[in-house]
Amino acid sequence: MKILTGNSNRPLAEAISAYLNLPLVNASVRRFSDMEVFVEINENVRGEDVFIIQPTSFPTNDNLMELLVTVDALKRGSARRITAVIPYYGYARQDRKSGPRTPISAKLVANLITTAGTDRVLTVDLHAGQIQGFFDIPTDNLFAAPVLTKDIKERFGTGDNLCIVSPDVGGVVRARAFAKRLDAELAIVDKRRERAGVSEVMNIIGEVDGKRCILVDDIVDSAGTLCNAAVALKEAGALSVAAYVTHGVLSGGAVARVSASPLESLVITDSIQATEAVRVSQTVRQLSIAPLLAEAMARISEEKSVSSLFD
């Protein structure tokens, strides 16, 4: 078993490497002067089981291209099996046609990864479960819920006044799973716009008055939905509002928006490398999923059950 990383999230790769007590493969992933990607593997990988750790976060296209070129380099180096470890799967939100003449880019990216020569994919909290079906190769979709719920229990405990909240109707299944693990109440924020140009109306489905509310989601990008949901929950009588999200994209002024909102804290994982704004923020905190990914990688290499991680 060998571990290789691109430039997308080296700290996560190093944490996984330390957990497994395996050194990272000596490889050079660099750019020519015109920003063309060049990959050179500086050690023998013939017959090896190789894992490439490369989330396709910002800059998405550059990191995706790095992954594809690295897979090709390993394929031509006669690696026995190549597993793409993609903690954050870019383009996942384009998982269906949102209108006429629009792409399903999540499927296109799956085709690219497969065609490059990848034998297996390991990812975390896909935006939509059906993306697993976009791949014609084995795909393991891990859940960050055990990591996040452990932190919730340590900081909030469990009890009658704890309420797990889905920030939109689409995230109800995820929120229900969290509520079940924590033996907590469940609420949903129903967001609707009556007509163009009129602000959204937030309706809370469930009882949140006097509750400690925790918003859960898979991706936080601009943080607009989370912050608006936090305002609506406070107005509905929530004692406090915190948020736990797997992938902290946090583009633009998202961190400042979170800091100015009623959210007491936003907890994300290190599936995406933290920006400077995240590192210095008093409101945003990162949890590591390195042990979770490392355990899954070891089990895949040893041909053991991955699903038993969540039993």
Side-chain angles (χ1 to χ4, degrees), residues 2-280:
K2 290 193 179 245
I3 307 169
L4 188 152
T5 183
N7 296 316
S8 178
N9 195 344
R10 182 166 272 277
L12 175 62
E14 288 170 348
I16 292 170
S17 168
Y19 186 93
L20 293 172
N21 198 25
L22 282 173
L24 292 171
V25 168
N26 181 6
S28 173
V29 184
R30 59 185 190 271
R31 302 281 192 279
F32 289 129
S33 57
D34 63 351
M35 299 311 290
E36 202 174 278
V37 176
F38 178 73
V39 175
E40 188 174 12
I41 314 294
N42 298 318
E43 63 182 79
N44 184 31
V45 292
R46 185 179 297 275
E48 297 283 0
D49 189 9
V50 186
F51 292 80
I52 309 167
I53 301 165
Q54 180 77 344
T56 51
S57 49
F58 177 83
T60 306
N61 299 333
D62 286 5
N63 288 328
L64 175 60
M65 202 65 207
E66 268 189 23
L67 174 62
L68 300 176
V69 174
T70 305
V71 169
D72 190 68
L74 289 169
K75 201 77 178 171
R76 295 176 190 280
S78 301
R80 177 173 58 86
R81 181 171 66 178
I82 302 165
T83 302
V85 181
I86 312 172
Y88 172 70
Y89 184 76
Y91 287 101
R93 285 172 283 183
Q94 298 182 47
D95 62 310
R96 64 195 184 284
K97 279 177 72 73
S98 56
R101 297 169 297 282
T102 57
I104 305 178
S105 303
K107 169 61 175 166
L108 171 64
V109 171
N111 287 345
L112 288 168
I113 291 168
T114 305
T115 304
T118 309
D119 296 301
R120 190 178 193 101
V121 169
L122 177 65
T123 186
V124 181
D125 276 339
L126 284 171
H127 184 61
Q130 70 263 22
I131 295 173
Q132 274 183 289
F134 292 176
F135 288 92
D136 295 324
I137 53 177
T139 303
D140 293 299
N141 181 29
L142 302 180
F143 304 108
V147 177
L148 299 179
T149 52
K150 183 186 176 192
D151 192 78
I152 293 171
K153 283 177 182 175
E154 288 172 356
R155 291 183 175 265
F156 297 91
T158 55
D160 294 337
N161 74 332
L162 191 66
C163 185
I164 302 299
V165 184
S166 173
D168 52 42
V169 176
V172 174
V173 174
R174 181 181 303 102
R176 189 184 292 125
F178 270 78
K180 188 176 178 181
R181 280 175 176 269
L182 295 162
D183 192 26
E185 297 290 321
L186 177 66
I188 305 160
V189 177
D190 177 33
K191 179 177 63 178
R192 60 184 69 182
R193 192 183 292 274
E194 298 300 331
R195 62 180 186 275
V198 177
S199 62
E200 291 166 337
V201 178
M202 298 286 207
N203 298 312
I204 310 295
I205 303 169
E207 184 56 53
V208 298
D209 189 19
K211 305 272 188 184
R212 292 172 300 153
C213 292
I214 297 173
L215 288 154
V216 296
D217 212 345
D218 63 325
I219 298 173
V220 54
D221 188 351
S222 65
T225 298
L226 270 188
C227 294
N228 290 341
V231 170
L233 289 167
K234 273 290 193 179
E235 288 175 351
L239 280 179
S240 63
V241 185
Y244 280 74
V245 183
T246 305
H247 307 297
V249 177
L250 297 170
S251 58
V255 175
R257 195 173 292 114
V258 168
S259 299
S261 77
L263 283 170
E264 290 186 356
S265 65
L266 168 61
V267 180
I268 57 177
T269 74
D270 57 353
S271 63
I272 296 172
Q273 188 170 347
T275 61
E276 184 61 27
V278 169
R279 282 193 289 270
V280 301

